Structures are given as structure tokens and as C-alpha cells.
Amino acid sequence: MVSSIRFLMCSPDHYEVDYVINPWMEGNVHKSSRDRAAEQWEHLFHLIKEYAIVDLIQPQVGVPDIVFTANGGLVLGDTVVLSRFFHKERQGEEPFFKQWFAEKGYTVHELPKELPFEGAGDALFDREGRWLWAGYGFRSELDSHPYLAKWLDIEVLSLRLMDERFYHLDTCFCPLSQGYLLYYPPAFDAYSNRLIEMRVPEEKRIAIAEADAVNFACNAVNVDHRVILNKASDELKQRLADKGFEVLETPLTEFLKAGGAAKCLTLRVTEPVRVEVHAHATVESRVIRLDGHLLDSGLINRALDLVVEAGGSFQVLNFNLGEQRQSTSSAEVKVSAPSHEVMETIMTQLIDLGAVPPPQEACDISYEVVTQAGVAPDDFYVTTIYPTEVRVECQWVKVQKQRMDAALVLHSTPTGPMAECKLLRDLAVGDRVIVGVEGIRTVRKTESREQRNVQEFSFMGAGVSSERRVELVVEQIAWELRKIRDQGGKVVVTAGPVVIHTGGGEHLAHLIRQGYVQALLGGNAIAVHDIEQSMMGTSLGVDMKRGVSVRGGHRHHLKVINAVRRCGSIPQAVEQGVVTSGVLYECVRNGVPFSLAGSIRDDGPLPDTQMDLLQAQADYARLIEGADLILMLSSMLHSIGVGNMTPAGVKMVCVDINPAVVTKLSDRGSVESVGVVTDVGLFLSLLVQQLDKLTSPYHFASATA
């Protein structure tokens, strides 16, 4: 019995694989058989005609893919939204579909010319008429979805396609009657799969395997309880039969060569309208502005890639390219996301890159009041290392105490609004914590290649330096240390016990004695082994001069701890003459503050070791404040902690024999960070030698000549 359902088809009189616009076409150009294609199309045509009405559109020379009528537009009732094809090879089809629908009396809607949307290939109605599934990612843009919601007065659910083989929604997704869904989950991102699972009950979801997906089993025509498709495995046919569906196979291999099958070859033009269903689109859009050396620094590429990778889409509204090499550029970009949740994720990452709203769209921040001490409101903004500003009462306010992984707290002062970074544990009831991402911007330097090449600390842009570059890197670090010392700046050293084990203790002590270090951060271990070397001549029981274990040496570190505890503290041990040399000795003698953060593995510990972790963090933060450079020496735990509480703008050098540690610190994102993969003892020895050269009369005369 023929139902009242109607489909639009087009005979393959001029069908050919003439070009490549999807992965299926690759290797198949001019390899399709028109006769075999015509035979397969006829079988599909007559099979559908047994159960539905089929209208035809005239085939046209020069547009071979017009045979795939599903892409001509999207129909609901007597309204059609025409396609805007992504590829120029198919754009010639648009006027023919427009003419056909106009002649049939449809109300025709056309999207803006630069907004791709490929009809029912990327938009599929739930067969119960409750909503519209709309795909994006390859051929259709997310920004087309609000138009569909408005013109068709229906809720639109946006699904992001991830696998280029399934470039249209209808290649991997087929709503069936009675609320069932045939689909291939790996074709979608996590957010889309979650959305599908929220809307379609588990018992109604028919997820297929890749073997069926690549045979375009989802590219099916559903007429009542019948599913017409190219090919399905016995397992899939049984699963569909168990749900009450009859599977009708008809080979369409010639059309698979162009990336289409049964559904692609048909356009349903009798989609029923449910009057109780009305428009709603979850798509959210915002405009951001980027400034700086956008091309040379790669910032524009990183920003746009970030948007797409996070599940959004973009449109560059304008791009003003700097006229000279030293000139900066600016761009305004419209960013769209399928939900508020995804948009917040995208905007947070864009803010980290330095994106800001255009002046005319800048909004004040939103905040919520803390009701439980140490607990931030939901959706609180998490800070980064970069200088941050927040918009309060239509003005940008610089955030104080900048550090990463904190909340932003807003204060009112006699001189105006003030904002600061505050750790979660320090939040007090009544604090006003900034939430969301509106009215927040970070300040990041973007430099041209020429500017980076002439930077005084230019090697810092090198990321991780290998052994081959150690001497060059050391030379530049030495210049930087000398400059900071001479200008009264501040250098903080974070060091692990490996410094002592590798023989670097005497060199670090030399740096402290010569005024190159203004604070020392570490743990219990570096102090214990440094003092062990001073008192016993060993480190971990190994004689530092001969490199051999000493009988009973494994007890040395405990004897040292005991001796210092008897004195009361490290400074008292120095004053009493118990400790007479070494790193901690030089700190005490030269008034260099130090902080030793304890851990569960510590022996003793020394009386100076701070076993209250929160207090140790506070001590570290206090000593880091105002630093110009931080030298991290073979201490992954303490170095990562220091890196997390250090704002951008502070130069950082991480030295470790383990590339993973170095890379982790370099990846914090600051352009002032560098990693040096080498033995820390060797590094310190070379550094002291280079500094001694800089202070020699000959070198000074040569440098100033």
C-alpha cells in the first residue's frame, strides 16, 4: 500500500565522480559506471514507489551530484530552507532546487550566501516530529541552526561530526519511526553523544558497528516500519527486526563511490508539522577581539583551532593586518557553540589567549557571594598565570596577587573597586566571587619573529634546550643573573637534593655568597643532605670526594637531623658552629630567606621544615613575590608547585636530567620559560664559571670596549 509520504529524487542521467570533495571520492574519479548507477537507482526508485510517492527533479549537465537530492534543502510542511553548498562544485545545484520548490508553491527561505548548510543531508527530523537534529563540522555551519529554528518553528539540537568519512549527518544518523534511532556513535564528539543519550532512551537507540557504518547502513530511507538501505549485516538486520522493522536491501555501490546511498538519493518533502512544537535553538554566539602579532605569533591560528576543537564554530568578521612588520594586527571573530556549557569552555580558553570582547560589547562581570567558607560558587572563574583584568562599573580593573588556579574576589575600597586572586581555602563567607567569563580579559604579550629574535632573553622562546645548547643557554642565563643582581632585582632558587648529590652544592653556595640568590625554596631533603655534606662529607652516605659509600653512611642523615634538632634550628646550628659550610650555611650568613616544605616521606624532619602544607604554600608564595627570575634545579614536586603560583612575566629556568619534568614546566604557557635538559651539577658548574668570566677585569674591559 502506498502511503501519502512523498520523496524527491533525480535520475542519474549525468551522474559521474568528476571531483573529490569527500574521502569516498578519492581514488574513484571517473571510475563509476553510469549504466550500473542507473540500474541501481532504478531499483531504489521502484522500491520506494511501492510504499511512497516519488516526485522527480530534472537532471542537469554540469552538476552530477544533483542526484543526491537530500542536499537540496530541508522541508517542513509547506516551508523549505534551501541549501548553501560548502563546495563550489555543488553550488550550481542551488538555482535548480530553488526553482522546483518555488513552482510547487513552497515558502522558500535562503540563508546568507557565506553560511553553509546542506539541507536534509545535515538536518534530520525526529520521526515523531518533536525536534530537529542538525549536524555541523564539515559541510554545514553551526550558525545556520538558529535560522532553522526560527523559520521552521522547531527545536534544533546541534550535533558535531568528528569523522571526515561521515561528513553529513545522514551518513551516520537515521531517526526511525516510533522514536527509534539508528546511529554510529564514534562519528560524534562526547557532547553530542551525551545529548543523543539524553533525548533518546537506551532501549530506542540502535548503535551500529563500523563495518555497517562504512556500508552506509545509517544512510537509510525509513517509511513506516520499513528501512531501505544499501547493505546491513545479519546482526543489524536481526536487531532491527527485533524492534519491529523490516530491512530492505538494494545495492547502491556506484553511489558509495561519491559518498552517498539511499538517504542521500532522496529528499522527504512531506514532513508533518506538529502545532504544539515551537522554535528553540541552543546555539550561543559571542564576538571576541584579538590584538597583537596575530599571524607571526600564530595566535589567530591557535584561537580558531581552539574554537573548532572545543566543539564550536567561528566566523571572522574583520581582520586588520598591520601595515609594517612591527605593526600589530587585530581581528574580530564571531564564535558559536551548541550550548552555554560549551561556550563557557571555549571562552575560558580564549580569554587565556588574550581574547577580549569588542569595546561596544564589553560587559561587567557577574559575581556570587560565598555562603560556605572555603567553597566557591558554581561556575567560578579559574585564574591563570597571566595578568588579568575584570570589568567593573564600565572600567577595567587590574587583578592583584595574580596566580593560577585561584578564584577572583571583588572588593569595594574607598578608592574604587579592587579584585584579587584568592585560593579556594582562603575564601570567606561574604566574599564576592566572580563567576562566568563575561567581563574578564588576560593580558598576553604577542611578539613578531623579529622582536623575539632581538629579545635579551631570546633563548627563552626555545622551549626545551638539549645538551648541545647548554653552554649557550648558560651564557645567557649568566648575563641575566648579573643584570638582575646589579639592578637590585630578585632571583629565587627552587632546588632538590639532586643538587647536592651531583656536586652542585658548592656552586649553589657560591651563587648565594656572591649575591645572585635572594630566596631559596626546597624541601627537607636538600637541607638534610647539604648539611650532611657539611658535617660528614657525605650525601646519602656517599663520600662526595671519592664517590664511594662510607661504612655506616646510611645513618649520617639521621645524625645530622639530630644534631640540628639539638641546636634548635638551622640558623642556631650555624651560629653555634655546628654547620660551617654549604648552601644553608650561606643562606644564614648572607641573610637569604629560605623555606623548606615538608612531605610524608621526610625523616626527622629538621626543625625548620614546615610540615603544615598550607603554611608552606603561603611561605613559598611570600618569597616568590616580586621575583624577576626563578631558577628551578632538579625538583619536580617543588618546581611544579612554584610554577603554579608564579604569575606570567617572571622568567623561569627549569634544569633537570629528566625531559618530562622540563617539558611540564615549559608547557605552562609563559614565553619567559625555558627548560634545560642536563645534569644539574654540570649546569651549576658552568654557570659559576661563566659568572666568574663576567666579573673578571679582562672580560669587563672586552665587554665595554
Side-chain angles (χ1 to χ4, degrees), residues 127 545 677:
R127 292 269 57 89
K545 293 188 185 301
V677 180

Side-chain angles (χ1 to χ4, degrees), residues 136-138 141 160-162 189 301-315 335-336 338 342 346 349-350:
Y136 71 101
F138 294 108
E141 284 291 339
R160 182 188 177 202
L161 298 166
M162 299 294 292
D189 68 3
N301 289 339
R302 294 203 306 277
L304 300 183
D305 287 345
L306 182 157
V307 171
V308 174
E309 290 166 5
S313 66
F314 66 84
Q315 179 185 1
V335 179
S336 298
V342 176
I346 292 173
Q349 297 179 63
L350 287 174

Side-chain angles (χ1 to χ4, degrees), residues 651-670:
K651 299 182 174 79
M652 301 178 71
V653 179
C654 177
V655 183
D656 203 292
I657 198 68
N658 184 351
V661 176
V662 173
T663 301
K664 187 170 182 65
L665 266 298
S666 295
D667 284 348
R668 70 195 293 267
S670 173

Side-chain angles (χ1 to χ4, degrees), residues 58 109 144 168-169 350 365 389 418 511 545 584 678 682:
Q58 187 71 25
H109 291 284
S144 66
H168 276 146
L169 184 62
L350 287 174
I365 50 89
E389 296 178 351
M418 188 271 281
L511 294 178
K545 293 188 185 301
L584 274 299
T678 190
L682 171 63

